[in-house]
Amino acid sequence: WKKPRRRLKILAEAAALKHLARDYMHPEVGVKTTDPTLFGRNYFNRYSAPETDEDEFADERAEILAEAAALKKSAVAYMHPEVGVCSEDATLFGRNYFERASAPDVESMEEAEERAKILAEAAALKQLASDYMHPEV
């Protein structure tokens, strides 16, 4: 009596495999359902439902989007140097009178004394050269 049960089980598995093979080979047939619970609507997970995010995910998404916008701005500035830089901050237009390129250099006392000595020697050499070139004066 074991063989008929085993044979029925094998035939049931073969029929199920045949059904699966037919569904695989003919996708245009579609799926037929008769269970009434399959026709209920889920108002929370449907595609047209508005997405709801948790607060931490929304904050993280906002940070990621801000970083992506900053990276895009940097990439555009790098790839297009001809555009120039736009600045609206009023503190950017202040001048530093002490460390600007056109500011006069500040000399130490040793440098000032050495400079005065060199200028005095140059004036003496100029006087000697002019006396040599013009002995009549």
Side-chain angles (χ1 to χ4, degrees), residues 58-76:
D59 294 341
E60 188 174 348
R61 177 180 287 135
E63 288 178 19
I64 291 170
L65 290 175
E67 288 176 6
L71 284 173
K72 180 181 178 184
K73 185 176 178 182
S74 295
V76 168

Side-chain angles (χ1 to χ4, degrees), residues 100-111:
R100 67 185 194 280
S102 62
D105 293 332
V106 179
E107 296 178 341
S108 65
M109 287 300 288
E110 294 89 20
E111 291 174 342

Side-chain angles (χ1 to χ4, degrees), residues 1-11:
W1 61 278
K2 281 189 173 183
K3 286 192 177 188
R5 280 191 181 172
R6 190 171 182 194
R7 183 176 179 196
L8 288 175
K9 187 176 178 183
I10 291 172
L11 288 175

Side-chain angles (χ1 to χ4, degrees), residues 3 13 15 22-23 25 28 35 37 39-40 46 52 55-56 60 66 74 81 84 97 101-102 111 115 129-130 132:
K3 286 192 177 188
E13 287 179 3
R22 185 184 49 206
D23 289 344
M25 292 301 290
E28 70 274 0
D35 190 6
T37 60
F39 297 106
R46 69 186 194 280
T52 57
D55 289 339
E56 63 186 38
E60 188 174 348
S74 295
Y97 292 98
S102 62
E111 291 174 342
R115 184 171 188 253
S130 111
Y132 181 77

